[in-house]
Amino acid sequence: MPATMGAAAQEGLDAAGEDSVTGRRLHEMKDFYAYMTEQLIPLIDSWRERFAAQHADTSR
């Protein structure tokens, strides 16, 4: 989903241009989703570690 939103922001930038109020907002949106994509893998790894630690004594 983050990549899709980043692509949508880029499409908007291409249409609106970067030097407009809309363009500046879309640029921020694109940067935010790029950052979110970078952080996603470490976040998932952290979650898996936490989940495993919390459920280590649970036999399934």
Side-chain angles (χ1 to χ4, degrees):
M1 172 104 127
T4 302
M5 295 303 292
Q10 184 60 56
E11 285 183 33
L13 278 167
D14 293 344
E18 294 200 23
D19 293 331
S20 65
V21 172
T22 301
R24 288 189 291 277
R25 289 179 181 168
L26 287 166
H27 196 281
E28 182 179 355
M29 177 180 157
K30 183 180 169 192
D31 286 350
F32 171 75
Y33 281 104
Y35 175 78
M36 197 164 96
T37 299
E38 286 175 13
Q39 297 301 311
L40 196 54
I41 292 172
L43 178 65
I44 292 169
D45 291 342
S46 176
W47 164 249
R48 286 182 177 154
E49 289 173 16
R50 179 180 173 178
F51 184 85
Q54 289 176 340
H55 297 88
D57 296 329
T58 305
S59 59
R60 292 182 183 197

